[in-house]
Each structure stands twice: as structure tokens, then as C-alpha cells.
Amino acid sequence: MGLFSRKPKLPPANRPPLAADERVLAWAAAGNGEGDGVVVASNLGLWLPGRGHRLGWHDILKAVWSGRELTVTPAEPVAERDSYALVVDGPAETYLLLDPGELPHQVRARVTRSVAYTEHHRVPGGAARVAARRVAGRDGLTWTVRLDPGTPADDDTLLTETDRLVAVACAATAPAD
């Protein structure tokens, strides 16, 4: 593409069902071995082929760009606690992007921007990451605890410790009056 050329607009047939306050930031034709589709980054999240809903930027645990493939690992909730969600890595989804344009940059910037706080801790039975994320279109932070692979989600000692870790992190990040 030349210096002043722009990627054509997203064809209407490939446009996801955007919310009234949602706008397309970047898109790319994609393949994941199960048929072709379009990956669309909006101000509110990421639309992936084969999904009928958007992944909020705060719901993406990891996004990796290899130079040809975008791999997205979504959060998979395993328990709702009083002030946070306990999550594990969902199945990673990989998409071949032959003409990625600005999509990888937008994904990286938006996922990174959503993280307000993150700290990794040893917990009973393994390890976990406490994170506070900004949710596009909402005030305040959403807290999650992502369990490392192999860390049991159903251990009462672990849940007591993650409750404590989130309470400490919330207190440390609360605005001063």
C-alpha cells in the first residue's frame, strides 16, 4: 500500500453486530483452519470469526502477534467471588492474517491499556495473577484472579488467600480522599 492509501472499509457482510456506541478501529481477513472470517477490533473489544459476541479487551488474557498469526487467549471464568472473578486460560484461538494492517497494533494497545494493576503471587497449590482491568465504556475497575495452569480452583485455602490478595490490592489502589 502506498503512503496515502488506506485499507478499504469493512464490507457490510462482514460487519459484526456493533453496539450503538461502538466503532471499528481496525480489521483483517483471517483464517483459523475452520473457514475464513474477519477479525474486527472495536473501541469495546475484539470480534473473532465464529463467535456471535465480542470479547471485551478486559476478557483477553493474552494476545500474541507472530508477524503472520494472531493468537488470542480469552479468560474462562471458573468462579464468581464477592469482589472478583476467578479465571483460567480459555482455549487459545489462532488466526492467519495475510494483510493485518493496524489490527495487531490495536489489539496490543487496547489489551495493554485495559490493565490497571497486575501482580503475580504464590498461592496454595500453585500461583495466580491478581489483576484490575478497565472495562471500555464503564467507570471503575474489574478485578480478576487468573490461576496458573495446574492450580486447583476448588481449594478453600486457595480461595481464602485469593480473597485476601484482592482485598490488599483493592486497598492499595483505592484513590486517596
Side-chain angles (χ1 to χ4, degrees):
M1 292 177 118
L3 181 61
F4 295 105
S5 61
R6 293 183 53 166
K7 189 172 200 167
K9 284 190 171 193
L10 181 62
N14 294 333
R15 194 171 184 84
L18 302 175
D21 59 343
E22 189 172 13
R23 67 186 188 288
V24 173
L25 303 173
W27 66 275
N32 66 353
E34 299 174 14
D36 294 332
V38 176
V39 177
V40 177
S42 78
N43 57 313
L44 299 180
L46 191 63
W47 293 88
L48 297 170
R51 287 179 173 257
H53 65 280
R54 162 190 356 97
L55 272 178
W57 296 116
H58 65 287
D59 292 323
I60 298 172
L61 295 176
K62 190 182 340 178
V64 177
W65 173 242
S66 73
R68 288 181 45 90
E69 294 178 327
L70 177 66
T71 301
V72 177
T73 304
E76 188 171 287
V78 292
E80 276 298 322
R81 304 296 288 168
D82 285 339
S83 58
Y84 66 97
L86 196 63
V87 301
V88 295
D89 291 6
E93 300 176 31
T94 300
Y95 300 92
L96 175 65
L97 307 178
L98 297 178
D99 184 13
E102 284 293 309
L103 184 70
H105 168 74
Q106 284 293 334
V107 170
R108 179 181 177 95
R110 297 289 172 151
V111 170
T112 300
R113 191 179 310 153
S114 76
V115 178
Y117 172 92
T118 181
E119 187 79 31
H120 196 255
H121 299 276
R122 302 288 314 151
V123 295
R129 179 166 301 280
V130 175
R133 307 282 297 264
R134 295 175 189 91
V135 178
R138 263 196 260 158
D139 287 337
L141 299 174
T142 297
W143 289 87
T144 59
V145 174
R146 177 206 165 261
L147 300 178
D148 283 6
T151 304
D154 57 357
D155 180 86
D156 287 337
T157 309
L158 169 112
L159 295 174
T160 299
E161 179 62 5
T162 57
D163 288 347
R164 186 189 71 77
L165 291 170
V166 171
V168 168
C170 286
T173 59
D177 288 331

